[in-house]
Amino acid sequence: MTVVRSMSGTTADRRAVIFLLRRLRSPEGQNNPQPVWHELRALGDVVPAPWGGYLVTGYDACTEVLRGKATWLAPDLAWQARQPNTERWQASATRAISRALFRLNPPVHTAQRRSLGNPFDRHALDSLAPRVAAHATRVVDRLAERIRHDGEADFVTLVGDRLPILTVGEWLGIPEHHHAHILDFTHRQVHSQELFPTKRELAISAQATADMREFFTGLIEERRADPGDDVVSRWIRYWDEQFPDDRAAADQTVYDLVMFITIASLETSATLMANAVWLLGRHTDRWQWLRRHQEHIDDAVEETLRYDPPVHFNTRIAADDTQLAGIPIAKDQMVHVMYGAAAHDPRRNQNPELFDITREGAHLSHMSFGGGIHYCLGAALARLEARTLLTELLRRFETLIPLTAPTYAPRMVFRRVTSLKVTT
Ligand code: HEM
């Protein structure tokens, strides 16, 4: 069921939306976005945004956008070329990231997605699981050691940021001495994907994009010189066959894939893990209940994904004049799917503000991995990492208590916890 409200976008509504979005980006909103989601939802399922787009807040309306592949398109390069704000949409960082899978539409998206198959199917996960467990043990060892020595430790730098890059780095065959550099450019690149990047942020992203280009181009050259049975070598072989007379096109496609899969896998997974420790650890009884009921670890991961999704917004554009939840939307207008607001829609999840590990149908209660043709390629891997890490943390620590609330990067689209101090 969707709420149909007449939202003509009055000045008062526009002011309210601007105020709410400012709050969402502020430290207060980053720490507790739920009241903002609640107030935005109260304005309607589809709320006109001051810059001409729409915020989609209701669960059903968000699902309709994600699944409606003919009606709702990714804002690709062709759409960007039609936008008057060239500073934003023609920025080098924006254009570079727009060649990545999540910004492609069929048929190019279909061809690239098909080429990947399901890299994290049951068989692949079974072989990755022991490696993820080994990485989890190693990072938790360091956490335990630091807590023993200093009485406290930063979960994010020692564990949350480390486990995803160890896992994906090894899967792609990227040696560990490159990991810090990859994390660094990933954190800097992401600005261009924000709703309103400033000039300064676009410049930071441009430099990060150049760093990424240099790094992944070098990686592809190395694999060409010394091909093996690794994932990147396999992608090179595949795309060489698709573009037998165009080596540059093959290289560009492999670059777009390896670059985006790497950066898409890092901050998202790190945020999920930091959120899980914050939400579980801050209530000692919750932590201890889960220690006794480890059969609910998967449910705890799903509830964390629902309660505070690592990605808060995804943008689509209308392929034609259309309607969403009764609101007319013109061709080319942007709609911003709000994953958090949707997962806290009381029509979908009862008592949405309650963090409830025993929530029924936990994996169906959110859309934090997206939906439709762009459904997250790495969802199964992210779940494996989170499950493995939680299992290890619960085994090792009777309590794991956050000393203060997490600190967050001031962002709206890709959430990032920058620090979470814990003790036992
Ligand atoms: C908790 C961790 C993660 C979250 C919350 C997450 C979330 C998402 C979301 C919401 C989308 C949809 C984007 C859109 O519709 O525009 C997406 C797409 C994607 N994700 Fe993830 N992700 C996570 C981890 C990963 C990992 C570990 C990988 C790779 C190893 C990955 C690779 C991708 C790729 C390649 C896409 C684009 C798929 C496409 O457009 O066809 N993600 N992810």
PDB file of all heavy atoms in Angstrom, residues 66 101-102 109 113 120 168 260-261 264-265 268-269 272 305 310-311 314 316 339 368-370 373-378 381-382 385, ligand 1:
ATOM      1  N   LEU A  66      13.066   0.218  -7.898  1.00  0.00           N
ATOM      2  CA  LEU A  66      14.205  -0.694  -8.100  1.00  0.00           C
ATOM      3  C   LEU A  66      13.874  -1.805  -9.085  1.00  0.00           C
ATOM      4  O   LEU A  66      14.725  -2.251  -9.852  1.00  0.00           O
ATOM      5  CB  LEU A  66      14.642  -1.297  -6.766  1.00  0.00           C
ATOM      6  CG  LEU A  66      15.248  -0.302  -5.771  1.00  0.00           C
ATOM      7  CD1 LEU A  66      15.543  -0.982  -4.443  1.00  0.00           C
ATOM      8  CD2 LEU A  66      16.530   0.325  -6.322  1.00  0.00           C
ATOM      9  N   LEU A 101      29.365  -0.476 -13.448  1.00  0.00           N
ATOM     10  CA  LEU A 101      28.152  -1.293 -13.564  1.00  0.00           C
ATOM     11  C   LEU A 101      26.866  -0.630 -13.052  1.00  0.00           C
ATOM     12  O   LEU A 101      25.829  -0.662 -13.701  1.00  0.00           O
ATOM     13  CB  LEU A 101      28.421  -2.572 -12.751  1.00  0.00           C
ATOM     14  CG  LEU A 101      27.842  -3.891 -13.186  1.00  0.00           C
ATOM     15  CD1 LEU A 101      28.038  -4.150 -14.657  1.00  0.00           C
ATOM     16  CD2 LEU A 101      28.463  -5.013 -12.362  1.00  0.00           C
ATOM     17  N   PHE A 102      26.942   0.000 -11.881  1.00  0.00           N
ATOM     18  CA  PHE A 102      25.707   0.520 -11.271  1.00  0.00           C
ATOM     19  C   PHE A 102      25.161   1.746 -11.999  1.00  0.00           C
ATOM     20  O   PHE A 102      24.036   2.166 -11.742  1.00  0.00           O
ATOM     21  CB  PHE A 102      25.919   0.803  -9.784  1.00  0.00           C
ATOM     22  CG  PHE A 102      26.694   2.077  -9.464  1.00  0.00           C
ATOM     23  CD1 PHE A 102      26.248   2.925  -8.466  1.00  0.00           C
ATOM     24  CD2 PHE A 102      27.855   2.399 -10.146  1.00  0.00           C
ATOM     25  CE1 PHE A 102      26.948   4.083  -8.163  1.00  0.00           C
ATOM     26  CE2 PHE A 102      28.555   3.553  -9.849  1.00  0.00           C
ATOM     27  CZ  PHE A 102      28.107   4.397  -8.863  1.00  0.00           C
ATOM     28  N   HIS A 109      24.742  -2.927 -19.609  1.00  0.00           N
ATOM     29  CA  HIS A 109      24.735  -3.494 -18.266  1.00  0.00           C
ATOM     30  C   HIS A 109      24.536  -5.005 -18.323  1.00  0.00           C
ATOM     31  O   HIS A 109      25.234  -5.765 -17.652  1.00  0.00           O
ATOM     32  CB  HIS A 109      23.637  -2.840 -17.408  1.00  0.00           C
ATOM     33  CG  HIS A 109      23.521  -3.467 -16.050  1.00  0.00           C
ATOM     34  ND1 HIS A 109      22.662  -4.516 -15.779  1.00  0.00           N
ATOM     35  CD2 HIS A 109      24.194  -3.236 -14.899  1.00  0.00           C
ATOM     36  CE1 HIS A 109      22.806  -4.876 -14.508  1.00  0.00           C
ATOM     37  NE2 HIS A 109      23.720  -4.119 -13.954  1.00  0.00           N
ATOM     38  N   ARG A 113      27.134  -7.634 -16.752  1.00  0.00           N
ATOM     39  CA  ARG A 113      26.681  -8.406 -15.587  1.00  0.00           C
ATOM     40  C   ARG A 113      26.729  -9.902 -15.918  1.00  0.00           C
ATOM     41  O   ARG A 113      27.157 -10.715 -15.104  1.00  0.00           O
ATOM     42  CB  ARG A 113      25.273  -7.931 -15.216  1.00  0.00           C
ATOM     43  CG  ARG A 113      24.683  -8.541 -13.985  1.00  0.00           C
ATOM     44  CD  ARG A 113      25.110  -7.818 -12.711  1.00  0.00           C
ATOM     45  NE  ARG A 113      24.811  -8.653 -11.569  1.00  0.00           N
ATOM     46  CZ  ARG A 113      24.424  -8.229 -10.395  1.00  0.00           C
ATOM     47  NH1 ARG A 113      24.299  -6.951 -10.142  1.00  0.00           N
ATOM     48  NH2 ARG A 113      24.177  -9.076  -9.419  1.00  0.00           N
ATOM     49  N   PHE A 120      29.947 -15.222  -6.422  1.00  0.00           N
ATOM     50  CA  PHE A 120      29.869 -15.648  -5.018  1.00  0.00           C
ATOM     51  C   PHE A 120      28.723 -16.651  -4.831  1.00  0.00           C
ATOM     52  O   PHE A 120      27.886 -16.508  -3.943  1.00  0.00           O
ATOM     53  CB  PHE A 120      29.721 -14.423  -4.098  1.00  0.00           C
ATOM     54  CG  PHE A 120      30.821 -13.416  -4.326  1.00  0.00           C
ATOM     55  CD1 PHE A 120      30.547 -12.157  -4.857  1.00  0.00           C
ATOM     56  CD2 PHE A 120      32.145 -13.741  -4.047  1.00  0.00           C
ATOM     57  CE1 PHE A 120      31.564 -11.249  -5.098  1.00  0.00           C
ATOM     58  CE2 PHE A 120      33.168 -12.834  -4.294  1.00  0.00           C
ATOM     59  CZ  PHE A 120      32.873 -11.591  -4.812  1.00  0.00           C
ATOM     60  N   VAL A 168      38.707  -9.165  -0.250  1.00  0.00           N
ATOM     61  CA  VAL A 168      38.572  -8.869  -1.682  1.00  0.00           C
ATOM     62  C   VAL A 168      39.953  -8.742  -2.338  1.00  0.00           C
ATOM     63  O   VAL A 168      40.145  -9.164  -3.482  1.00  0.00           O
ATOM     64  CB  VAL A 168      37.710  -7.596  -1.885  1.00  0.00           C
ATOM     65  CG1 VAL A 168      37.774  -7.095  -3.306  1.00  0.00           C
ATOM     66  CG2 VAL A 168      36.269  -7.914  -1.532  1.00  0.00           C
ATOM     67  N   PHE A 260      35.445  -0.909  -9.958  1.00  0.00           N
ATOM     68  CA  PHE A 260      34.201  -0.695  -9.225  1.00  0.00           C
ATOM     69  C   PHE A 260      33.936  -1.824  -8.215  1.00  0.00           C
ATOM     70  O   PHE A 260      33.501  -1.562  -7.085  1.00  0.00           O
ATOM     71  CB  PHE A 260      33.013  -0.551 -10.186  1.00  0.00           C
ATOM     72  CG  PHE A 260      31.741  -0.252  -9.444  1.00  0.00           C
ATOM     73  CD1 PHE A 260      31.618   0.932  -8.728  1.00  0.00           C
ATOM     74  CD2 PHE A 260      30.695  -1.159  -9.417  1.00  0.00           C
ATOM     75  CE1 PHE A 260      30.462   1.210  -8.002  1.00  0.00           C
ATOM     76  CE2 PHE A 260      29.536  -0.887  -8.700  1.00  0.00           C
ATOM     77  CZ  PHE A 260      29.416   0.301  -7.998  1.00  0.00           C
ATOM     78  N   ILE A 261      34.223  -3.053  -8.615  1.00  0.00           N
ATOM     79  CA  ILE A 261      33.964  -4.156  -7.679  1.00  0.00           C
ATOM     80  C   ILE A 261      34.828  -3.981  -6.433  1.00  0.00           C
ATOM     81  O   ILE A 261      34.374  -4.215  -5.312  1.00  0.00           O
ATOM     82  CB  ILE A 261      34.169  -5.521  -8.375  1.00  0.00           C
ATOM     83  CG1 ILE A 261      33.032  -5.722  -9.386  1.00  0.00           C
ATOM     84  CG2 ILE A 261      34.204  -6.661  -7.365  1.00  0.00           C
ATOM     85  CD1 ILE A 261      33.145  -6.938 -10.257  1.00  0.00           C
ATOM     86  N   ALA A 264      33.348  -0.875  -4.468  1.00  0.00           N
ATOM     87  CA  ALA A 264      31.986  -1.119  -3.975  1.00  0.00           C
ATOM     88  C   ALA A 264      31.978  -2.070  -2.787  1.00  0.00           C
ATOM     89  O   ALA A 264      31.014  -2.122  -2.024  1.00  0.00           O
ATOM     90  CB  ALA A 264      31.124  -1.698  -5.100  1.00  0.00           C
ATOM     91  N   SER A 265      33.063  -2.840  -2.656  1.00  0.00           N
ATOM     92  CA  SER A 265      33.048  -3.886  -1.627  1.00  0.00           C
ATOM     93  C   SER A 265      33.604  -3.418  -0.284  1.00  0.00           C
ATOM     94  O   SER A 265      33.437  -4.106   0.713  1.00  0.00           O
ATOM     95  CB  SER A 265      33.897  -5.072  -2.103  1.00  0.00           C
ATOM     96  OG  SER A 265      35.263  -4.701  -2.141  1.00  0.00           O
ATOM     97  N   THR A 268      31.207  -0.243   2.201  1.00  0.00           N
ATOM     98  CA  THR A 268      29.888  -0.815   2.501  1.00  0.00           C
ATOM     99  C   THR A 268      30.004  -1.910   3.557  1.00  0.00           C
ATOM    100  O   THR A 268      29.293  -1.895   4.571  1.00  0.00           O
ATOM    101  CB  THR A 268      29.278  -1.409   1.220  1.00  0.00           C
ATOM    102  OG1 THR A 268      30.286  -2.222   0.580  1.00  0.00           O
ATOM    103  CG2 THR A 268      28.792  -0.356   0.264  1.00  0.00           C
ATOM    104  N   SER A 269      30.931  -2.856   3.327  1.00  0.00           N
ATOM    105  CA  SER A 269      31.070  -3.983   4.263  1.00  0.00           C
ATOM    106  C   SER A 269      31.605  -3.489   5.610  1.00  0.00           C
ATOM    107  O   SER A 269      31.189  -3.965   6.670  1.00  0.00           O
ATOM    108  CB  SER A 269      32.011  -5.048   3.690  1.00  0.00           C
ATOM    109  OG  SER A 269      31.603  -5.400   2.400  1.00  0.00           O
ATOM    110  N   LEU A 272      28.781  -1.986   7.573  1.00  0.00           N
ATOM    111  CA  LEU A 272      27.915  -3.029   8.133  1.00  0.00           C
ATOM    112  C   LEU A 272      28.521  -3.596   9.417  1.00  0.00           C
ATOM    113  O   LEU A 272      27.831  -3.748  10.432  1.00  0.00           O
ATOM    114  CB  LEU A 272      27.712  -4.145   7.087  1.00  0.00           C
ATOM    115  CG  LEU A 272      27.093  -5.450   7.597  1.00  0.00           C
ATOM    116  CD1 LEU A 272      25.696  -5.212   8.166  1.00  0.00           C
ATOM    117  CD2 LEU A 272      27.026  -6.501   6.478  1.00  0.00           C
ATOM    118  N   LEU A 305      21.477  -4.621   8.794  1.00  0.00           N
ATOM    119  CA  LEU A 305      21.310  -4.072   7.435  1.00  0.00           C
ATOM    120  C   LEU A 305      20.013  -3.271   7.319  1.00  0.00           C
ATOM    121  O   LEU A 305      19.954  -2.245   6.657  1.00  0.00           O
ATOM    122  CB  LEU A 305      21.295  -5.205   6.407  1.00  0.00           C
ATOM    123  CG  LEU A 305      22.652  -5.811   6.053  1.00  0.00           C
ATOM    124  CD1 LEU A 305      22.482  -7.180   5.392  1.00  0.00           C
ATOM    125  CD2 LEU A 305      23.438  -4.872   5.128  1.00  0.00           C
ATOM    126  N   PRO A 310      24.143   0.519   5.003  1.00  0.00           N
ATOM    127  CA  PRO A 310      25.394   1.216   4.650  1.00  0.00           C
ATOM    128  C   PRO A 310      25.238   2.193   3.481  1.00  0.00           C
ATOM    129  O   PRO A 310      25.985   3.140   3.359  1.00  0.00           O
ATOM    130  CB  PRO A 310      26.343   0.073   4.276  1.00  0.00           C
ATOM    131  CG  PRO A 310      25.806  -1.117   5.023  1.00  0.00           C
ATOM    132  CD  PRO A 310      24.320  -0.949   5.026  1.00  0.00           C
ATOM    133  N   VAL A 311      24.282   1.925   2.601  1.00  0.00           N
ATOM    134  CA  VAL A 311      24.000   2.877   1.520  1.00  0.00           C
ATOM    135  C   VAL A 311      22.627   3.490   1.822  1.00  0.00           C
ATOM    136  O   VAL A 311      21.663   2.760   2.008  1.00  0.00           O
ATOM    137  CB  VAL A 311      23.962   2.187   0.138  1.00  0.00           C
ATOM    138  CG1 VAL A 311      23.774   3.211  -0.978  1.00  0.00           C
ATOM    139  CG2 VAL A 311      25.236   1.380  -0.109  1.00  0.00           C
ATOM    140  N   ASN A 314      19.950   5.675  -3.444  1.00  0.00           N
ATOM    141  CA  ASN A 314      20.312   5.271  -4.809  1.00  0.00           C
ATOM    142  C   ASN A 314      19.464   6.087  -5.773  1.00  0.00           C
ATOM    143  O   ASN A 314      18.274   6.283  -5.522  1.00  0.00           O
ATOM    144  CB  ASN A 314      19.992   3.796  -5.045  1.00  0.00           C
ATOM    145  CG  ASN A 314      21.240   2.943  -5.089  1.00  0.00           C
ATOM    146  OD1 ASN A 314      21.159   1.742  -5.052  1.00  0.00           O
ATOM    147  ND2 ASN A 314      22.391   3.555  -5.162  1.00  0.00           N
ATOM    148  N   ARG A 316      17.737   6.936  -9.507  1.00  0.00           N
ATOM    149  CA  ARG A 316      17.291   6.471 -10.825  1.00  0.00           C
ATOM    150  C   ARG A 316      16.672   7.665 -11.540  1.00  0.00           C
ATOM    151  O   ARG A 316      16.315   8.656 -10.901  1.00  0.00           O
ATOM    152  CB  ARG A 316      16.219   5.370 -10.684  1.00  0.00           C
ATOM    153  CG  ARG A 316      16.714   4.082 -10.049  1.00  0.00           C
ATOM    154  CD  ARG A 316      17.527   3.262 -11.031  1.00  0.00           C
ATOM    155  NE  ARG A 316      17.842   1.959 -10.477  1.00  0.00           N
ATOM    156  CZ  ARG A 316      18.890   1.691  -9.709  1.00  0.00           C
ATOM    157  NH1 ARG A 316      19.735   2.653  -9.396  1.00  0.00           N
ATOM    158  NH2 ARG A 316      19.100   0.474  -9.253  1.00  0.00           N
ATOM    159  N   TYR A 339      16.910   3.951   1.174  1.00  0.00           N
ATOM    160  CA  TYR A 339      16.863   2.601   1.750  1.00  0.00           C
ATOM    161  C   TYR A 339      16.494   2.586   3.229  1.00  0.00           C
ATOM    162  O   TYR A 339      15.749   1.728   3.690  1.00  0.00           O
ATOM    163  CB  TYR A 339      18.226   1.925   1.586  1.00  0.00           C
ATOM    164  CG  TYR A 339      18.562   1.595   0.151  1.00  0.00           C
ATOM    165  CD1 TYR A 339      19.715   2.077  -0.439  1.00  0.00           C
ATOM    166  CD2 TYR A 339      17.724   0.798  -0.606  1.00  0.00           C
ATOM    167  CE1 TYR A 339      20.034   1.773  -1.749  1.00  0.00           C
ATOM    168  CE2 TYR A 339      18.027   0.490  -1.914  1.00  0.00           C
ATOM    169  CZ  TYR A 339      19.184   0.977  -2.484  1.00  0.00           C
ATOM    170  OH  TYR A 339      19.480   0.673  -3.782  1.00  0.00           O
ATOM    171  N   SER A 368      18.579  -3.339   1.493  1.00  0.00           N
ATOM    172  CA  SER A 368      19.880  -2.669   1.636  1.00  0.00           C
ATOM    173  C   SER A 368      20.904  -3.095   0.590  1.00  0.00           C
ATOM    174  O   SER A 368      21.952  -2.455   0.464  1.00  0.00           O
ATOM    175  CB  SER A 368      20.427  -2.889   3.045  1.00  0.00           C
ATOM    176  OG  SER A 368      19.510  -2.359   3.961  1.00  0.00           O
ATOM    177  N   PHE A 369      20.638  -4.191  -0.130  1.00  0.00           N
ATOM    178  CA  PHE A 369      21.515  -4.563  -1.245  1.00  0.00           C
ATOM    179  C   PHE A 369      20.901  -4.149  -2.589  1.00  0.00           C
ATOM    180  O   PHE A 369      21.297  -4.652  -3.649  1.00  0.00           O
ATOM    181  CB  PHE A 369      21.777  -6.067  -1.246  1.00  0.00           C
ATOM    182  CG  PHE A 369      22.681  -6.530  -0.112  1.00  0.00           C
ATOM    183  CD1 PHE A 369      22.221  -7.403   0.857  1.00  0.00           C
ATOM    184  CD2 PHE A 369      23.992  -6.081  -0.023  1.00  0.00           C
ATOM    185  CE1 PHE A 369      23.046  -7.831   1.897  1.00  0.00           C
ATOM    186  CE2 PHE A 369      24.829  -6.489   1.009  1.00  0.00           C
ATOM    187  CZ  PHE A 369      24.359  -7.369   1.974  1.00  0.00           C
ATOM    188  N   GLY A 370      19.927  -3.249  -2.551  1.00  0.00           N
ATOM    189  CA  GLY A 370      19.290  -2.810  -3.789  1.00  0.00           C
ATOM    190  C   GLY A 370      18.271  -3.829  -4.269  1.00  0.00           C
ATOM    191  O   GLY A 370      17.776  -4.655  -3.480  1.00  0.00           O
ATOM    192  N   ILE A 373      17.720  -5.289 -11.517  1.00  0.00           N
ATOM    193  CA  ILE A 373      18.895  -5.714 -12.290  1.00  0.00           C
ATOM    194  C   ILE A 373      20.215  -5.282 -11.655  1.00  0.00           C
ATOM    195  O   ILE A 373      21.257  -5.824 -11.977  1.00  0.00           O
ATOM    196  CB  ILE A 373      18.833  -5.234 -13.759  1.00  0.00           C
ATOM    197  CG1 ILE A 373      18.841  -3.704 -13.841  1.00  0.00           C
ATOM    198  CG2 ILE A 373      17.633  -5.810 -14.489  1.00  0.00           C
ATOM    199  CD1 ILE A 373      19.063  -3.198 -15.271  1.00  0.00           C
ATOM    200  N   HIS A 374      20.166  -4.277 -10.769  1.00  0.00           N
ATOM    201  CA  HIS A 374      21.414  -3.804 -10.144  1.00  0.00           C
ATOM    202  C   HIS A 374      21.623  -4.411  -8.757  1.00  0.00           C
ATOM    203  O   HIS A 374      22.474  -3.926  -8.004  1.00  0.00           O
ATOM    204  CB  HIS A 374      21.421  -2.275 -10.048  1.00  0.00           C
ATOM    205  CG  HIS A 374      21.492  -1.598 -11.379  1.00  0.00           C
ATOM    206  ND1 HIS A 374      22.665  -1.472 -12.081  1.00  0.00           N
ATOM    207  CD2 HIS A 374      20.528  -1.034 -12.152  1.00  0.00           C
ATOM    208  CE1 HIS A 374      22.433  -0.843 -13.222  1.00  0.00           C
ATOM    209  NE2 HIS A 374      21.138  -0.570 -13.292  1.00  0.00           N
ATOM    210  N   TYR A 375      20.851  -5.461  -8.439  1.00  0.00           N
ATOM    211  CA  TYR A 375      21.009  -6.065  -7.103  1.00  0.00           C
ATOM    212  C   TYR A 375      22.489  -6.344  -6.856  1.00  0.00           C
ATOM    213  O   TYR A 375      23.219  -6.832  -7.735  1.00  0.00           O
ATOM    214  CB  TYR A 375      20.202  -7.373  -7.017  1.00  0.00           C
ATOM    215  CG  TYR A 375      20.282  -7.992  -5.632  1.00  0.00           C
ATOM    216  CD1 TYR A 375      19.505  -7.480  -4.590  1.00  0.00           C
ATOM    217  CD2 TYR A 375      21.145  -9.043  -5.361  1.00  0.00           C
ATOM    218  CE1 TYR A 375      19.597  -8.020  -3.313  1.00  0.00           C
ATOM    219  CE2 TYR A 375      21.243  -9.588  -4.086  1.00  0.00           C
ATOM    220  CZ  TYR A 375      20.463  -9.064  -3.075  1.00  0.00           C
ATOM    221  OH  TYR A 375      20.559  -9.593  -1.801  1.00  0.00           O
ATOM    222  N   CYS A 376      22.910  -6.051  -5.630  1.00  0.00           N
ATOM    223  CA  CYS A 376      24.338  -6.102  -5.286  1.00  0.00           C
ATOM    224  C   CYS A 376      24.996  -7.431  -5.685  1.00  0.00           C
ATOM    225  O   CYS A 376      24.550  -8.497  -5.278  1.00  0.00           O
ATOM    226  CB  CYS A 376      24.490  -5.878  -3.785  1.00  0.00           C
ATOM    227  SG  CYS A 376      26.195  -6.015  -3.236  1.00  0.00           S
ATOM    228  N   LEU A 377      26.073  -7.305  -6.422  1.00  0.00           N
ATOM    229  CA  LEU A 377      26.820  -8.481  -6.874  1.00  0.00           C
ATOM    230  C   LEU A 377      27.490  -9.195  -5.696  1.00  0.00           C
ATOM    231  O   LEU A 377      27.698 -10.404  -5.727  1.00  0.00           O
ATOM    232  CB  LEU A 377      27.908  -8.011  -7.855  1.00  0.00           C
ATOM    233  CG  LEU A 377      28.778  -9.068  -8.498  1.00  0.00           C
ATOM    234  CD1 LEU A 377      28.025  -9.714  -9.668  1.00  0.00           C
ATOM    235  CD2 LEU A 377      30.083  -8.470  -9.012  1.00  0.00           C
ATOM    236  N   GLY A 378      27.837  -8.428  -4.656  1.00  0.00           N
ATOM    237  CA  GLY A 378      28.632  -9.000  -3.563  1.00  0.00           C
ATOM    238  C   GLY A 378      27.844  -9.270  -2.293  1.00  0.00           C
ATOM    239  O   GLY A 378      28.447  -9.476  -1.236  1.00  0.00           O
ATOM    240  N   LEU A 381      28.884 -12.324  -0.370  1.00  0.00           N
ATOM    241  CA  LEU A 381      30.215 -12.193   0.235  1.00  0.00           C
ATOM    242  C   LEU A 381      30.151 -11.285   1.464  1.00  0.00           C
ATOM    243  O   LEU A 381      30.747 -11.582   2.511  1.00  0.00           O
ATOM    244  CB  LEU A 381      31.211 -11.634  -0.785  1.00  0.00           C
ATOM    245  CG  LEU A 381      32.629 -11.464  -0.242  1.00  0.00           C
ATOM    246  CD1 LEU A 381      33.237 -12.811   0.139  1.00  0.00           C
ATOM    247  CD2 LEU A 381      33.538 -10.751  -1.251  1.00  0.00           C
ATOM    248  N   ALA A 382      29.416 -10.182   1.345  1.00  0.00           N
ATOM    249  CA  ALA A 382      29.293  -9.258   2.489  1.00  0.00           C
ATOM    250  C   ALA A 382      28.660  -9.980   3.674  1.00  0.00           C
ATOM    251  O   ALA A 382      29.085  -9.816   4.825  1.00  0.00           O
ATOM    252  CB  ALA A 382      28.457  -8.053   2.082  1.00  0.00           C
ATOM    253  N   GLU A 385      31.244 -12.345   5.239  1.00  0.00           N
ATOM    254  CA  GLU A 385      32.224 -11.621   6.058  1.00  0.00           C
ATOM    255  C   GLU A 385      31.619 -11.220   7.403  1.00  0.00           C
ATOM    256  O   GLU A 385      32.237 -11.400   8.449  1.00  0.00           O
ATOM    257  CB  GLU A 385      32.688 -10.353   5.330  1.00  0.00           C
ATOM    258  CG  GLU A 385      33.619 -10.612   4.169  1.00  0.00           C
ATOM    259  CD  GLU A 385      33.982  -9.310   3.458  1.00  0.00           C
ATOM    260  OE1 GLU A 385      34.381  -8.354   4.127  1.00  0.00           O
ATOM    261  OE2 GLU A 385      33.844  -9.245   2.230  1.00  0.00           O
TER     262      GLU A 385
HETATM  263  C1  HEM B   1      27.220  -4.635   3.306  1.00  0.00           C
HETATM  264  C2  HEM B   1      27.860  -4.552   2.153  1.00  0.00           C
HETATM  265  C3  HEM B   1      27.232  -4.039   0.883  1.00  0.00           C
HETATM  266  C4  HEM B   1      26.132  -3.249   0.687  1.00  0.00           C
HETATM  267  C5  HEM B   1      25.194  -2.682   1.732  1.00  0.00           C
HETATM  268  C6  HEM B   1      25.982  -3.066  -0.745  1.00  0.00           C
HETATM  269  C7  HEM B   1      24.955  -2.347  -1.335  1.00  0.00           C
HETATM  270  C8  HEM B   1      24.738  -2.287  -2.689  1.00  0.00           C
HETATM  271  C9  HEM B   1      23.618  -1.627  -3.298  1.00  0.00           C
HETATM  272  C10 HEM B   1      22.518  -0.889  -2.561  1.00  0.00           C
HETATM  273  C11 HEM B   1      23.723  -1.779  -4.632  1.00  0.00           C
HETATM  274  C12 HEM B   1      22.748  -1.285  -5.708  1.00  0.00           C
HETATM  275  C13 HEM B   1      23.253  -0.067  -6.398  1.00  0.00           C
HETATM  276  C14 HEM B   1      22.247   0.496  -7.388  1.00  0.00           C
HETATM  277  O1  HEM B   1      21.144  -0.013  -7.525  1.00  0.00           O
HETATM  278  O2  HEM B   1      22.573   1.510  -8.022  1.00  0.00           O
HETATM  279  C15 HEM B   1      24.936  -2.525  -4.875  1.00  0.00           C
HETATM  280  C16 HEM B   1      25.415  -2.848  -6.116  1.00  0.00           C
HETATM  281  C17 HEM B   1      26.629  -3.441  -6.309  1.00  0.00           C
HETATM  282  N1  HEM B   1      27.467  -3.976  -5.364  1.00  0.00           N
HETATM  283 FE1  HEM B   1      27.191  -3.961  -3.387  1.00  0.00          FE
HETATM  284  N2  HEM B   1      27.001  -3.719  -1.375  1.00  0.00           N
HETATM  285  C18 HEM B   1      27.781  -4.350  -0.428  1.00  0.00           C
HETATM  286  C19 HEM B   1      28.888  -5.140  -0.642  1.00  0.00           C
HETATM  287  C20 HEM B   1      29.408  -5.427  -1.876  1.00  0.00           C
HETATM  288  C21 HEM B   1      30.537  -6.303  -2.119  1.00  0.00           C
HETATM  289  C22 HEM B   1      31.277  -7.086  -1.031  1.00  0.00           C
HETATM  290  C23 HEM B   1      30.769  -6.286  -3.467  1.00  0.00           C
HETATM  291  C24 HEM B   1      31.792  -7.012  -4.288  1.00  0.00           C
HETATM  292  C25 HEM B   1      32.612  -7.928  -3.863  1.00  0.00           C
HETATM  293  C26 HEM B   1      29.751  -5.428  -4.066  1.00  0.00           C
HETATM  294  C27 HEM B   1      29.644  -5.145  -5.416  1.00  0.00           C
HETATM  295  C28 HEM B   1      28.558  -4.501  -5.988  1.00  0.00           C
HETATM  296  C29 HEM B   1      28.438  -4.285  -7.426  1.00  0.00           C
HETATM  297  C30 HEM B   1      29.448  -4.693  -8.487  1.00  0.00           C
HETATM  298  C31 HEM B   1      27.222  -3.631  -7.623  1.00  0.00           C
HETATM  299  C32 HEM B   1      26.625  -3.151  -8.949  1.00  0.00           C
HETATM  300  C33 HEM B   1      25.680  -4.199  -9.465  1.00  0.00           C
HETATM  301  C34 HEM B   1      24.990  -3.773 -10.744  1.00  0.00           C
HETATM  302  O3  HEM B   1      24.811  -2.587 -10.992  1.00  0.00           O
HETATM  303  O4  HEM B   1      24.633  -4.680 -11.508  1.00  0.00           O
HETATM  304  N3  HEM B   1      28.951  -4.929  -3.075  1.00  0.00           N
HETATM  305  N4  HEM B   1      25.524  -2.841  -3.673  1.00  0.00           N
END
